[in-house]
Amino acid sequence: MAEKLGQILLRLGYISDDELGRALRVQTGESGRRKLGDILMELRLKEEELLEALSIQSGLPIISEKEFPETLPIDKLSFAFLKENAFLPLSVNNGTLSLAIADTSRRDAVESIRASFGCDVKLYLAKGKSIISHLDSLYASRNAMMQRLIEGVIEEEASVPEENGDVSHLKDLAQEKGIIQLVNLIIENAVKDRASDIHVEPEETLIRVRYRIDGILYDKEMLPAKMQPALSSRIKLLSRMNIAERRLPQDGRIRGSFAGRDIDIRVSTLPTVYGESIVMRLLDREASFISLEEIGFDGQLLERYGRLIKKPYGMVLITGPTGSGKTTTLYASLVKLNSPEKKIITVEEPVEYLLRGINQIQVRPRIGLSFANGLRHIVRQDPDIIMVGEIRDLETASISIHAALTGHLLFSTLHTNDSASAITRLVDMGVEPYLVSSTLAGVMAQRLVRRICPYCKVQKEADPPVKAEGIEAVWEGRGCERCNGTGYRGRVAIFELLDIDDEFRELITRNATSREMKDKAVASGMRTLRKDGLGKVRQGITTIDEVYRVTQIEL
């Protein structure tokens, strides 16, 4: 049995019997909420003396500040996690992570690192204040590094001669070391911050760089306006766009390793008054697929949706605005249905994630491979299940309807505000109501709301307008380092599932309005987006403000 810490400190002569007794009485009075070492340090014990005693007790060697690394050897651990536990990664050699710790009781956190990365962890002891200070300096160096790169790019741009010709000049700028490092750093920072999109927006006097995190845009960098040619040229070169073309929108793609992760980036440029606005959509190919339960399906919805997608034929539509998680739900549905006896083919723009055992087609409009053309040929491949990324026009809608009529289960998406509006949208496209009635099995509308940060959530009494919704208490995030002070971390979906039964088919056939159909669905027991969101508020998953924000309901 390991020697007690107090006895070690007594033996080393760092505390007296009286001081140990006082510290133990304080600890007992506080029901053991604080560690003995922390209490003794409030008396007169020095941190290095406590560290020596902990080293004797645990058998771990002590490492000094001089041996701390200048950069973190591993990027997949968040600064918030490291600071909370006072952990400092030192090096990674031959599958072993050397880790400095200040508290030997943090064994669970150490085990989570070992399990997450599948590596051995070699522990060292260091002062907690020194670890936190070093982490802060490393985090601050991120901003300092950005500033140094900006200054370097401006110098490099000034050194490139203009007389080489416009296109040649842009290529020279895009291949300078500074701009390469700057673009890489912007993307790596976005990956570390869990961003889904990077927005590079030129203005008159500056370039604004914003990250979309959990669906909300945040300002991150303000770059000098003179960097715009170099920055846009570098991004366009990486995404294989035409550098010389700055008058027309372009689309491209970047694939590479950033912040230690395999990232696929969809790039879109748009000419504006002050230069090209660029949006980069980040897709993490190493991210595990999310199940329907993780997306936000509860038991009741999972049962109903499960019955719907197991039908042998018909059309299932997922609706919502851009960025509402429709594609994620489609992928989760296909993964749930995927089995050796079923042939599944998809036609997408773009193919965001590769699904094992599923045939996926990438739309290529430049060579004539559109949704409609791809779908026309898919039907000849004898599939059981078809997924069309989006129904955009009458031709795609007509072929989709035909596929559903001829014994296929077809999934697709539409951009509508609710489930009932999807039906009228198809009719407005030119599809005959009787064909919609014959093929549509169900429609599900969805939105994404931000999750309350689990690390800083607190409960409070609901305000009167919220109590009017039947909710007495709500949860909210106070804001912490793990959620960047926002009170939110991650997102979850809210849903509205419309089952198409015989009564509903009659409404469709007689060309009823979307309001009539929604009223009928609600009367039949359909849970609307707002009601599903309020249910997640009661469960402490999200806030009432988030539900009001995405369902366009004002307080």
Side-chain angles (χ1 to χ4, degrees):
M1 184 175 178
E3 189 177 2
K4 290 185 177 181
L5 182 64
Q7 297 302 318
I8 296 173
L9 289 167
L10 280 174
R11 179 163 53 81
L12 292 172
Y14 293 148
I15 60 171
S16 65
D17 286 319
D18 182 57
E19 288 168 334
L20 177 58
R22 286 168 57 194
L24 288 172
R25 286 192 295 274
V26 171
Q27 188 183 45
T28 302
E30 296 180 351
S31 303
R33 287 195 297 269
R34 280 198 298 161
K35 296 182 179 63
L36 180 64
D38 293 338
I39 299 171
L40 286 167
M41 284 178 63
E42 289 182 358
L43 300 176
R44 71 176 182 89
L45 185 67
K46 297 177 181 178
E47 189 174 9
E48 54 265 27
E49 294 173 341
L50 175 61
L51 203 64
E52 182 182 347
L54 287 172
S55 178
I56 294 171
Q57 184 186 51
S58 63
L60 298 178
I62 297 174
I63 188 170
S64 69
E65 297 174 46
K66 296 179 181 179
E67 299 173 86
F68 285 178
E70 294 183 4
T71 58
L72 288 179
I74 188 167
D75 291 322
K76 296 182 182 180
L77 293 171
S78 71
F79 271 90
F81 174 81
L82 294 174
K83 286 188 69 174
E84 180 183 344
N85 293 284
F87 287 172
L88 177 64
L90 303 170
S91 63
V92 179
N93 292 309
N94 299 321
T96 299
L97 170 65
S98 295
L99 184 71
I101 64 173
D103 186 351
T104 56
S105 67
R106 301 275 184 173
R107 294 290 181 173
D108 288 343
V110 173
E111 286 302 316
S112 70
I113 294 175
R114 182 180 284 111
S116 297
F117 296 99
C119 64
D120 294 328
V121 180
K122 186 176 181 179
L123 298 178
Y124 294 84
L125 283 174
K127 295 180 185 178
K129 291 180 181 177
S130 299
I131 290 177
I132 299 300
S133 176
H134 194 70
L135 286 171
D136 284 337
S137 66
L138 288 175
Y139 186 72
S141 68
R142 163 173 159 170
N143 296 328
M145 182 184 297
M146 179 69 71
Q147 188 59 41
R148 287 197 302 271
L149 288 174
I150 291 171
E151 293 170 357
V153 169
I154 293 174
E155 290 178 5
E156 288 171 352
E157 184 173 356
S159 67
V160 177
E162 290 284 356
E163 58 269 15
N164 292 340
D166 191 43
V167 176
S168 176
H169 172 62
L170 292 174
K171 286 183 178 178
D172 287 340
L173 290 178
Q175 293 172 352
E176 291 289 346
K177 180 180 178 181
I179 194 64
I180 292 173
Q181 293 176 330
L182 179 63
V183 171
N184 286 348
L185 183 61
I186 289 173
I187 297 173
E188 287 177 0
N189 287 347
V191 173
K192 291 175 183 177
D193 289 347
R194 302 181 298 106
S196 60
D197 303 86
I198 303 170
H199 293 246
V200 181
E201 301 165 330
E203 299 181 6
E204 184 176 8
T205 59
L206 56 84
I207 303 169
R208 188 185 304 273
V209 179
R210 299 195 286 174
Y211 297 166
R212 188 178 294 279
I213 303 171
D214 295 334
I216 304 297
L217 280 170
Y218 297 93
D219 284 332
K220 288 295 179 178
E221 313 293 347
M222 298 295 179
L223 310 179
K226 65 175 66 176
M227 291 181 57
Q228 200 274 330
L231 188 63
S232 62
S233 295
R234 178 60 193 170
I235 295 172
K236 288 163 71 175
L237 184 67
L238 283 174
S239 50
R240 299 186 179 183
M241 295 182 189
N242 182 357
I243 291 181
E245 181 55 76
R246 285 168 283 174
R247 300 166 301 169
L248 297 174
Q250 295 188 68
D251 294 306
R253 203 162 190 166
I254 302 171
R255 184 168 185 178
S257 179
F258 300 94
R261 305 192 69 82
D262 185 16
I263 305 296
D264 197 8
I265 306 172
R266 292 160 51 189
V267 184
S268 171
T269 68
L270 187 70
T272 68
V273 173
Y274 297 111
E276 290 175 292
S277 172
I278 301 174
V279 176
M280 294 180 276
R281 176 87 182 274
L282 308 181
L283 303 172
D284 187 351
R285 289 190 172 271
E286 294 183 16
S288 57
F289 290 111
I290 300 176
S291 66
L292 293 173
E293 293 88 342
E294 291 170 317
I295 293 172
F297 281 62
D298 60 16
Q300 176 191 353
L301 181 61
L302 194 63
E303 181 182 354
R304 290 179 58 208
Y305 186 70
R307 289 198 303 267
L308 179 65
I309 64 176
K310 287 179 181 176
K311 291 187 176 183
Y313 57 87
M315 186 162 62
V316 177
L317 296 177
I318 311 293
T319 75
T322 300
S324 59
K326 301 186 297 296
T327 302
T328 302
T329 300
L330 283 178
Y331 278 146
S333 304
L334 294 182
V335 169
K336 192 173 185 67
L337 293 172
N338 192 15
S339 61
E341 65 271 12
K342 294 186 186 298
K343 178 158 185 171
I344 304 176
I345 305 180
T346 74
V347 54
E348 311 169 53
E349 185 187 15
V351 174
E352 295 190 5
Y353 296 100
L354 299 176
L355 304 175
R356 181 175 297 178
I358 295 176
N359 301 277
Q360 295 172 269
I361 300 171
Q362 169 78 48
V363 168
R364 301 183 186 277
R366 292 181 181 177
I367 61 172
L369 182 54
S370 61
F371 278 121
N373 196 21
L375 182 55
R376 187 179 291 109
H377 291 279
I378 283 176
V379 176
R380 300 171 189 167
Q381 290 280 311
D382 188 31
D384 298 291
I385 300 170
I386 300 170
M387 191 267 272
V388 182
E390 182 183 349
I391 295 178
R392 298 177 178 174
D393 50 47
L394 176 59
E395 185 180 13
T396 306
S398 298
I399 302 171
S400 299
I401 295 264
H402 176 75
L405 280 172
T406 52
H408 302 92
L409 180 62
L410 185 136
F411 292 86
S412 192
T413 68
L414 277 176
H415 287 90
T416 60
N417 290 327
D418 58 21
S419 52
S421 298
I423 298 167
T424 54
R425 175 64 59 83
L426 289 173
V427 174
D428 289 344
M429 282 183 182
V431 180
E432 292 293 337
Y434 76 90
L435 289 175
V436 178
S437 170
S438 302
T439 56
L440 195 59
V443 184
M444 185 165 69
Q446 68 178 69
R447 298 289 190 281
L448 290 177
V449 293
R450 291 182 289 174
R451 287 181 182 269
I452 300 171
C453 175
Y455 303 103
C456 63
K457 67 187 297 187
V458 292
Q459 193 175 33
K460 69 170 189 175
E461 184 180 358
D463 295 329
V466 181
K467 286 185 177 181
E469 301 280 4
I471 302 174
E472 295 297 322
V474 295
W475 291 84
E476 66 179 11
R478 292 175 298 182
C480 64
E481 290 184 350
R482 292 202 180 195
C483 61
N484 293 322
T486 64
Y488 297 98
R489 183 178 173 88
R491 289 188 289 177
V492 66
I494 58 175
F495 302 96
E496 176 180 286
L497 179 58
L498 172 60
D499 284 311
I500 307 297
D501 57 18
D502 290 339
E503 291 184 21
F504 224 91
R505 296 186 196 285
E506 291 180 10
L507 285 176
I508 298 172
T509 302
R510 67 177 178 84
N511 210 6
T513 65
S514 60
R515 169 50 60 188
E516 289 179 277
M517 288 188 278
K518 182 152 190 177
D519 289 344
K520 169 63 178 174
V522 171
S524 300
M526 182 184 77
R527 187 169 59 187
T528 62
L529 285 165
R530 181 166 174 246
K531 285 185 178 179
D532 191 45
L534 292 175
K536 288 180 169 65
V537 172
R538 290 188 185 91
Q539 297 171 46
I541 296 173
T542 190
T543 64
I544 196 77
D545 290 340
E546 278 296 287
V547 174
Y548 288 160
R549 178 177 67 85
V550 302
T551 57
Q552 300 178 342
I553 303 294
E554 297 295 332
L555 276 169

